[in-house]
Amino acid sequence: MMWRAVLALTLALPVAAAPAPAPAPLTMPAMPLHDPWIVADTATRTYWLFTTNQAEMTGDRRLGIMAYTSHDLQHWTRPTIVFTLPEGTWANDGAWAPEVHRWRGRWYLFATFHNESAGLAKPGTHRRGTVLAVADRLGGPFTLLRDGDPIAPKELMTLDGTLHVDRAGKPWLVYAHEWVQARDGTIEALPLDATLKAAGKPRLLFRASEAPWASGRPQQEGDKIYVTDGPELFRTRTGRLLMLWSSYDDRGSYVQGVARSRSGDLAGPWEQLPPLVRADSGHGMIFRRFDGGLMMVLHRPFHNARGKLYEMRDTGDSVAVVREASELDGETHPTHGG
């Protein structure tokens, strides 16, 4: 019968081999990265780690963002370029603090760029801000939006913008207002519309000097400056709203701090909690492994940085470091907290 002939022919056809997994020869000690951002893609069970493009890793000297991938957080592929800043854009340096967020069915890349030749009104300041790009795939390529205009007002010297969606579903850009302009660096929030464009004025959340552990750096002018870096939002299992952020302590060491909103909303007021990790560590973010475990990734040291991974615990009121996952990040002298 005809169906038997079709079945015989089907059985005789060669079975297509499943695509071989990409080689993953790298471990974190061999991976230069700063301001790490990890997306756990459940569809492919792949971890994507985004960071500033490094020509020695990609062979590409263009200004942009690269991504490593892994299936186990220990073995990583060589990075690929996911975004490059088009020629003729106002910026000529940076590509700092890349973050990739899912919003309304697409992937949005937030990254900070600057141009020291483009001065602002205050002497010694220049254009710096977080721009937006979009892609339909997590691995890009990402396309720059709005000709690269920063999301925050361009007269402000800002960096490290992150997307926060509040409990009402409204998007916000939360960013650091650079100490170069503000002196006492701040964390601010900007309301956005559905296209992730500014829809109001910036709102002050807190100043760096409000953290008891943060230390100001004396300047020749006689004042002190306080640094704010890397705001990242996380809501605990009980609904408490936390913010990871970084600054420096009295030893000149980079610190992974954490703040908590007393109201549970972005407006605060914000209270500063004891740091999560010291030892020149910071700019961290929290993500979940595919088994549901809570993890934090940050970089250490500040210069010549490498990624460090921590197992975390959601306490309900805050988050706590369980241990550094040195079997994953290759750290020979693990730092378990303060």
Side-chain angles (χ1 to χ4, degrees):
M1 296 177 69
M2 182 176 294
W3 68 267
R4 290 179 177 174
V6 172
L7 177 61
L9 179 60
T10 301
L11 293 175
L13 292 174
V15 177
L26 300 179
T27 57
M28 282 193 166
M31 296 161 53
L33 59 91
H34 212 269
D35 307 343
W37 179 266
I38 290 180
V39 174
D41 180 29
T42 55
T44 61
R45 296 187 71 82
T46 302
Y47 298 100
W48 290 78
L49 195 167
F50 297 89
T51 189
T52 305
N53 177 45
Q54 300 287 335
E56 66 268 29
M57 299 301 293
T58 62
D60 192 325
R61 296 191 174 279
R62 289 179 296 173
L63 186 62
I65 305 301
M66 66 183 189
Y68 303 93
T69 62
S70 173
H71 293 291
D72 60 7
L73 293 174
Q74 183 177 17
H75 304 95
W76 297 84
T77 62
R78 295 195 63 82
T80 57
I81 296 285
V82 299
F83 172 74
T84 56
L85 193 70
E87 292 186 10
T89 309
W90 65 270
N92 60 10
D93 206 347
W96 298 343
E99 297 190 8
V100 176
H101 294 267
R102 189 75 167 169
W103 174 253
R104 297 200 167 187
R106 305 189 79 188
W107 293 102
Y108 286 85
L109 169 70
F110 296 71
T112 299
F113 292 86
H114 64 100
N115 185 339
E116 293 186 2
S117 298
L120 298 177
K122 183 178 179 179
T125 63
H126 56 269
R127 288 195 69 183
R128 177 175 290 165
T130 298
V131 305
L132 191 64
V134 67
D136 292 319
R137 297 174 55 252
L138 185 54
F142 286 85
T143 301
L144 189 67
L145 294 178
R146 302 177 192 125
D147 297 322
D149 279 346
I151 306 169
K154 63 183 180 181
E155 66 270 15
L156 300 181
M157 196 172 176
T158 64
L159 72 165
D160 298 351
T162 186
L163 177 66
H164 171 67
V165 181
D166 66 22
R167 288 189 281 200
K170 180 178 177 56
W172 296 78
L173 180 76
V174 179
Y175 59 86
H177 189 173
E178 183 69 278
W179 65 267
V180 180
Q181 187 178 51
R183 309 306 282 175
D184 189 352
T186 63
I187 300 294
E188 300 176 3
L190 182 72
L192 305 178
D193 65 15
T195 69
L196 303 183
K197 185 177 181 180
K201 295 182 179 180
R203 306 179 188 185
L204 173 67
L205 301 186
F206 61 83
R207 302 180 187 278
S209 60
E210 294 174 23
W213 54 266
S215 181
R217 295 185 170 189
Q219 303 296 294
Q220 291 182 349
E221 297 84 352
D223 63 347
K224 290 184 178 181
I225 62 96
Y226 290 82
V227 172
T228 45
D229 272 351
E232 306 295 346
L233 284 299
F234 176 79
R235 196 172 292 280
T236 72
R237 56 183 173 82
T238 60
R240 304 299 295 268
L241 184 62
L242 306 178
M243 184 190 301
L244 275 62
W245 69 286
S246 293
S247 191
Y248 291 87
D249 63 14
D250 56 6
R251 299 178 183 177
S253 179
Y254 203 51
V255 173
Q256 182 58 67
V258 60
R260 180 173 59 205
S261 170
R262 291 177 182 164
S263 67
D265 294 320
L266 196 57
W270 290 85
E271 57 184 339
Q272 302 298 325
L273 305 181
L276 294 173
V277 184
R278 292 180 183 262
D280 207 21
S281 308
H283 206 112
M285 60 86 65
I286 290 176
F287 66 99
R288 287 198 181 274
R289 299 189 308 255
F290 297 126
D291 64 4
L294 201 63
M295 300 289 289
M296 177 173 68
V297 62
L298 49 73
H299 67 243
R300 182 173 63 248
F302 187 84
H303 298 288
N304 195 28
R306 294 296 185 271
K308 308 298 174 182
L309 289 166
Y310 289 81
E311 289 187 6
M312 305 295 289
R313 183 175 71 256
D314 182 344
T315 68
D317 284 334
S318 185
V319 290
V321 172
V322 175
R323 68 181 188 96
E324 181 172 351
S326 54
E327 75 280 8
L328 298 179
D329 67 26
E331 178 58 67
T332 56
H333 297 89
T335 298
H336 296 305

